[in-house]
Amino acid sequence: INVTLSPELKDKLFRGELFKYRCPECGFDFLINHKCLYHDMKKRYMIYLIPDSENTEELASSIVENLKNLTGPDTVDSIKKEMASYKLRIVNEPNRLIEKIKILDQDINDKVIELCKMVIMFNYLKDSNAPDINKVLFDYKDENVNFIIFTTDRKSFKAALPSSTYDEILSNLKSSPLYEEEMAFKTIDLVWATDAVQNYHVLNQKH
Protein backbone atom coordinates (compact mmCIF):
# COMPACT_ATOMS: atom_id res chain seq x y z
CA ILE A 1 0.00 0.00 0.00
CA ASN A 2 1.84 3.10 -1.19
CA VAL A 3 -0.36 5.94 0.05
CA THR A 4 1.83 8.57 -1.60
CA LEU A 5 1.03 7.13 -5.02
CA SER A 6 -2.46 5.85 -4.12
CA PRO A 7 -3.87 8.01 -1.29
CA GLU A 8 -7.34 6.52 -1.70
CA LEU A 9 -6.05 3.29 -0.14
CA LYS A 10 -5.48 5.08 3.16
CA ASP A 11 -9.13 6.19 3.20
CA LYS A 12 -10.22 2.60 2.52
CA LEU A 13 -8.04 1.38 5.37
CA PHE A 14 -9.48 3.88 7.87
CA ARG A 15 -13.03 3.06 6.72
CA GLY A 16 -12.37 -0.61 7.43
CA GLU A 17 -12.73 -1.66 3.80
CA LEU A 18 -9.20 -2.76 2.99
CA PHE A 19 -9.36 -6.01 4.96
CA LYS A 20 -13.01 -6.74 4.23
CA TYR A 21 -14.05 -9.60 1.96
CA ARG A 22 -17.65 -10.19 0.88
CA CYS A 23 -18.67 -13.78 0.16
CA PRO A 24 -20.15 -13.90 -3.35
CA GLU A 25 -22.45 -16.74 -2.28
CA CYS A 26 -24.03 -15.46 0.93
CA GLY A 27 -23.09 -11.77 0.85
CA PHE A 28 -21.58 -11.92 4.34
CA ASP A 29 -18.63 -9.61 5.06
CA PHE A 30 -15.50 -11.13 6.58
CA LEU A 31 -12.50 -9.33 8.01
CA ILE A 32 -9.32 -10.98 6.77
CA ASN A 33 -6.09 -10.18 8.61
CA HIS A 34 -3.49 -10.61 5.86
CA LYS A 35 0.05 -9.38 5.30
CA CYS A 36 0.57 -5.95 3.78
CA LEU A 37 3.27 -3.30 3.65
CA TYR A 38 2.11 0.28 4.24
CA HIS A 39 4.45 2.89 2.75
CA ASP A 40 4.29 6.66 3.14
CA MET A 41 7.06 8.18 1.00
CA LYS A 42 6.41 11.76 2.18
CA LYS A 43 6.44 10.97 5.89
CA ARG A 44 9.22 8.43 5.31
CA TYR A 45 7.98 5.37 7.11
CA MET A 46 6.92 1.79 6.36
CA ILE A 47 4.72 -0.41 8.50
CA TYR A 48 4.60 -4.12 7.83
CA LEU A 49 1.38 -5.79 8.98
CA ILE A 50 2.18 -9.41 9.75
CA PRO A 51 -0.45 -11.57 11.51
CA ASP A 52 0.66 -13.34 14.68
CA SER A 53 0.65 -16.70 12.96
CA GLU A 54 3.36 -15.59 10.53
CA ASN A 55 7.13 -15.69 11.02
CA THR A 56 7.36 -12.00 11.83
CA GLU A 57 11.11 -11.47 12.04
CA GLU A 58 11.95 -13.54 9.00
CA LEU A 59 9.35 -11.89 6.76
CA ALA A 60 10.21 -8.36 7.85
CA SER A 61 13.96 -8.81 7.56
CA SER A 62 13.56 -10.23 4.04
CA ILE A 63 12.48 -6.81 2.73
CA VAL A 64 15.59 -5.06 3.98
CA GLU A 65 17.82 -7.94 2.89
CA ASN A 66 16.37 -7.80 -0.61
CA LEU A 67 17.20 -4.10 -0.76
CA LYS A 68 20.72 -4.74 0.45
CA ASN A 69 21.23 -7.48 -2.13
CA LEU A 70 20.40 -5.32 -5.12
CA THR A 71 23.13 -5.55 -7.73
CA GLY A 72 25.73 -2.80 -7.90
CA PRO A 73 27.39 -1.06 -4.93
CA ASP A 74 26.13 2.34 -6.06
CA THR A 75 22.54 1.13 -5.91
CA VAL A 76 23.02 -0.42 -2.47
CA ASP A 77 24.60 2.75 -1.09
CA SER A 78 21.79 4.82 -2.57
CA ILE A 79 19.14 2.60 -1.01
CA LYS A 80 20.87 2.66 2.37
CA LYS A 81 21.09 6.45 2.26
CA GLU A 82 17.43 6.73 1.29
CA MET A 83 16.30 4.32 4.01
CA ALA A 84 18.47 5.80 6.75
CA SER A 85 15.82 8.38 7.67
CA TYR A 86 12.92 5.91 7.51
CA LYS A 87 11.03 4.48 10.45
CA LEU A 88 10.42 0.75 9.87
CA ARG A 89 7.78 -0.91 12.03
CA ILE A 90 5.93 -4.20 12.45
CA VAL A 91 2.35 -4.58 13.70
CA ASN A 92 0.17 -7.68 13.98
CA GLU A 93 -3.39 -6.48 13.31
CA PRO A 94 -5.22 -3.77 11.33
CA ASN A 95 -6.15 -1.74 14.43
CA ARG A 96 -2.47 -1.54 15.36
CA LEU A 97 -1.65 -0.51 11.82
CA ILE A 98 -4.16 2.36 11.96
CA GLU A 99 -2.87 3.39 15.38
CA LYS A 100 0.74 3.46 14.14
CA ILE A 101 -0.27 5.53 11.11
CA LYS A 102 -2.04 8.06 13.35
CA ILE A 103 1.10 8.36 15.47
CA LEU A 104 3.63 8.69 12.67
CA ASP A 105 1.43 10.99 10.57
CA GLN A 106 1.55 13.49 13.45
CA ASP A 107 5.35 13.19 13.70
CA ILE A 108 4.98 11.73 17.17
CA ASN A 109 7.60 9.34 18.53
CA ASP A 110 5.91 5.93 18.74
CA LYS A 111 8.48 4.68 21.24
CA VAL A 112 7.44 7.42 23.63
CA ILE A 113 3.78 6.58 23.03
CA GLU A 114 4.36 2.97 24.10
CA LEU A 115 6.12 4.20 27.23
CA CYS A 116 3.21 6.56 27.89
CA LYS A 117 0.93 3.52 27.69
CA MET A 118 2.93 2.00 30.53
CA VAL A 119 2.18 5.07 32.66
CA ILE A 120 -1.49 4.92 31.69
CA MET A 121 -1.64 1.26 32.70
CA PHE A 122 0.16 1.88 36.00
CA ASN A 123 -2.36 4.59 36.87
CA TYR A 124 -5.34 2.50 35.75
CA LEU A 125 -4.28 -0.54 37.75
CA LYS A 126 -4.14 1.45 40.98
CA ASP A 127 -7.86 0.72 41.13
CA SER A 128 -7.96 -2.90 42.27
CA ASN A 129 -11.58 -3.21 41.11
CA ALA A 130 -10.85 -2.08 37.56
CA PRO A 131 -11.57 -4.65 34.80
CA ASP A 132 -8.56 -6.31 33.21
CA ILE A 133 -7.02 -4.46 30.28
CA ASN A 134 -7.23 -6.01 26.84
CA LYS A 135 -5.35 -3.30 24.94
CA VAL A 136 -4.49 0.40 25.03
CA LEU A 137 -4.53 2.38 21.79
CA PHE A 138 -3.32 5.89 21.04
CA ASP A 139 -6.14 8.23 19.98
CA TYR A 140 -4.76 11.74 19.36
CA LYS A 141 -2.43 14.38 20.80
CA ASP A 142 -3.25 18.02 21.64
CA GLU A 143 -2.38 19.60 24.99
CA ASN A 144 -2.69 16.01 26.25
CA VAL A 145 -1.75 12.63 24.87
CA ASN A 146 -5.05 10.78 24.61
CA PHE A 147 -5.63 7.03 24.71
CA ILE A 148 -8.48 4.54 24.75
CA ILE A 149 -8.34 1.62 27.18
CA PHE A 150 -10.17 -1.51 26.05
CA THR A 151 -11.01 -4.02 28.79
CA THR A 152 -11.62 -7.75 28.68
CA ASP A 153 -15.32 -7.21 29.46
CA ARG A 154 -15.61 -5.31 26.16
CA LYS A 155 -15.82 -1.84 27.65
CA SER A 156 -13.66 1.13 26.77
CA PHE A 157 -12.44 4.15 28.69
CA LYS A 158 -10.67 7.33 27.70
CA ALA A 159 -7.42 8.22 29.43
CA ALA A 160 -4.92 11.04 28.99
CA LEU A 161 -1.49 12.24 30.03
CA PRO A 162 -0.29 15.85 29.87
CA SER A 163 2.01 16.62 26.96
CA SER A 164 4.67 17.53 29.51
CA THR A 165 4.86 13.83 30.46
CA TYR A 166 5.40 12.95 26.79
CA ASP A 167 8.18 15.57 26.59
CA GLU A 168 9.89 14.27 29.74
CA ILE A 169 9.85 10.68 28.51
CA LEU A 170 11.13 11.80 25.10
CA SER A 171 14.02 13.58 26.81
CA ASN A 172 14.86 10.42 28.78
CA LEU A 173 14.67 8.32 25.63
CA LYS A 174 17.06 10.61 23.76
CA SER A 175 19.64 9.91 26.46
CA SER A 176 19.43 6.16 25.87
CA PRO A 177 20.61 3.95 22.99
CA LEU A 178 16.97 3.13 22.22
CA TYR A 179 16.31 6.48 20.57
CA GLU A 180 18.24 5.89 17.36
CA GLU A 181 16.57 4.13 14.43
CA GLU A 182 18.00 1.04 12.74
CA MET A 183 17.70 -0.11 9.15
CA ALA A 184 15.47 -2.97 10.26
CA PHE A 185 11.78 -3.51 10.88
CA LYS A 186 11.04 -3.34 14.61
CA THR A 187 8.03 -4.15 16.72
CA ILE A 188 7.54 -1.15 19.00
CA ASP A 189 4.82 -2.19 21.43
CA LEU A 190 4.24 -2.78 25.14
CA VAL A 191 6.68 -5.71 25.15
CA TRP A 192 9.34 -3.33 23.79
CA ALA A 193 8.32 -0.70 26.36
CA THR A 194 8.53 -3.18 29.25
CA ASP A 195 12.07 -4.11 28.22
CA ALA A 196 12.97 -0.41 27.89
CA VAL A 197 11.74 0.32 31.41
CA GLN A 198 13.44 -2.69 32.98
CA ASN A 199 16.80 -2.43 31.23
CA TYR A 200 17.22 1.24 30.33
CA HIS A 201 15.23 3.03 33.05
CA VAL A 202 13.59 5.46 30.64
CA LEU A 203 10.72 6.20 33.03
CA ASN A 204 11.25 8.28 36.15
CA GLN A 205 9.81 7.15 39.47
CA LYS A 206 7.37 10.10 39.46
CA HIS A 207 5.72 8.75 36.29
Side-chain angles (χ1 to χ4, degrees), residues 12-133:
K12 290 185 69 174
L13 172 62
F14 274 72
R15 291 197 303 265
E17 298 174 2
L18 208 58
F19 295 93
K20 186 182 293 183
Y21 170 75
R22 175 162 294 176
C23 176
E25 298 295 330
C26 66
F28 189 80
D29 288 333
F30 297 89
L31 290 178
I32 301 177
N33 189 8
H34 57 78
K35 296 191 297 291
C36 77
L37 180 65
Y38 184 98
H39 185 189
D40 190 318
M41 297 169 67
K42 291 183 178 178
K43 288 289 186 178
R44 305 184 73 76
Y45 68 82
M46 293 185 191
I47 308 170
Y48 202 176
L49 169 61
I50 306 177
D52 285 329
S53 59
E54 302 282 1
N55 190 332
T56 303
E57 293 184 1
E58 182 178 333
L59 284 169
S61 64
S62 67
I63 295 178
V64 176
E65 288 305 314
N66 286 338
L67 292 175
K68 290 179 179 178
N69 292 332
L70 290 173
T71 57
D74 292 339
T75 304
V76 174
D77 290 342
S78 176
I79 290 292
K80 286 182 177 180
K81 185 176 181 180
E82 179 70 16
M83 297 293 292
S85 60
Y86 262 73
K87 282 185 169 65
L88 305 174
R89 297 293 184 258
I90 300 169
V91 294
N92 62 4
E93 61 178 68
N95 282 340
R96 300 286 186 185
L97 173 60
I98 291 173
E99 177 198 37
K100 196 68 74 173
I101 293 167
K102 289 164 67 174
I103 294 169
L104 299 179
D105 274 0
Q106 295 184 55
D107 298 317
I108 298 170
N109 189 297
D110 63 325
K111 296 176 180 178
V112 177
I113 290 298
E114 295 302 327
L115 292 165
C116 285
K117 287 181 185 179
M118 296 283 289
V119 179
I120 289 287
M121 293 175 68
F122 291 151
N123 293 338
Y124 176 86
L125 293 173
K126 288 177 182 178
D127 180 1
S128 59
N129 296 318
D132 291 339
I133 294 175

